[in-house]
Amino acid sequence: QVHLVESGGGSVQAGGSLRLACKASEVASDGNCMGWFRQAPGKEREGVASIHTGVKSTHYADSVAGRFTISIDKTEKTMYLQMDDLKPEDTARYYCAADLKFWVCWPNVEKMKDQGQGTQVTVSS
């Protein structure tokens, strides 16, 4: 089981930026799937972005493409989500996820086996 700890959430005005980090207890030597999903009150979980830590392929939800960037520092076992031009509709609790057995990372982020506790992102208008 991969232990995941998120950090970097907070409150920001619309148009602002935040960077989320997810420290993992392990990353597969030949790569594995990791990603971010979010959940707002009263709404279903929504995949935000995914990355394969080996081949570095990335995918994004249409709602964040062009504004968010997912990346991985394998040496530090840390995944990042750079969020720019934030909008009020981005307000949610953001969770990181990982799965050592998935080969297809998107759109399976919410189904990844290991998930963190989440970090809150609040965007005011």
Side-chain angles (χ1 to χ4, degrees):
Q1 182 175 357
V2 180
H3 184 60
L4 303 165
V5 179
E6 303 98 333
S7 61
S11 297
V12 65
Q13 289 191 328
S17 298
L18 285 172
R19 188 175 80 154
L20 306 183
C22 173
K23 178 74 172 179
S25 59
E26 69 174 291
V27 175
S29 58
D30 57 350
N32 61 275
C33 287
M34 295 186 71
W36 295 91
F37 66 91
R38 64 188 181 185
Q39 188 167 26
K43 294 188 177 181
E44 294 186 354
R45 291 182 170 187
E46 175 191 19
V48 174
S50 70
I51 186 167
H52 190 279
T53 64
V55 299
K56 304 290 181 66
S57 58
T58 60
H59 291 83
Y60 297 91
D62 290 344
S63 58
V64 306
R67 299 187 297 121
F68 290 12
T69 304
I70 190 171
S71 61
I72 182 73
D73 183 333
K74 288 185 68 174
T75 301
E76 296 296 325
K77 301 178 184 177
T78 301
M79 177 179 63
Y80 298 98
L81 185 68
Q82 177 66 40
M83 305 186 295
D84 298 317
D85 190 24
L86 282 160
K87 303 177 180 181
E89 51 263 43
D90 295 318
T91 295
R93 191 164 185 84
Y94 284 70
Y95 299 83
C96 70
D99 199 297
L100 297 179
K101 294 184 178 181
F102 276 16
W103 283 100
V104 179
C105 304
W106 187 266
N108 298 315
V109 180
E110 308 97 287
K111 300 177 183 178
M112 291 183 187
K113 177 178 177 294
D114 302 305
Q115 300 177 358
Q117 295 299 306
T119 184
Q120 179 67 33
V121 171
T122 303
V123 184
S124 58
S125 58

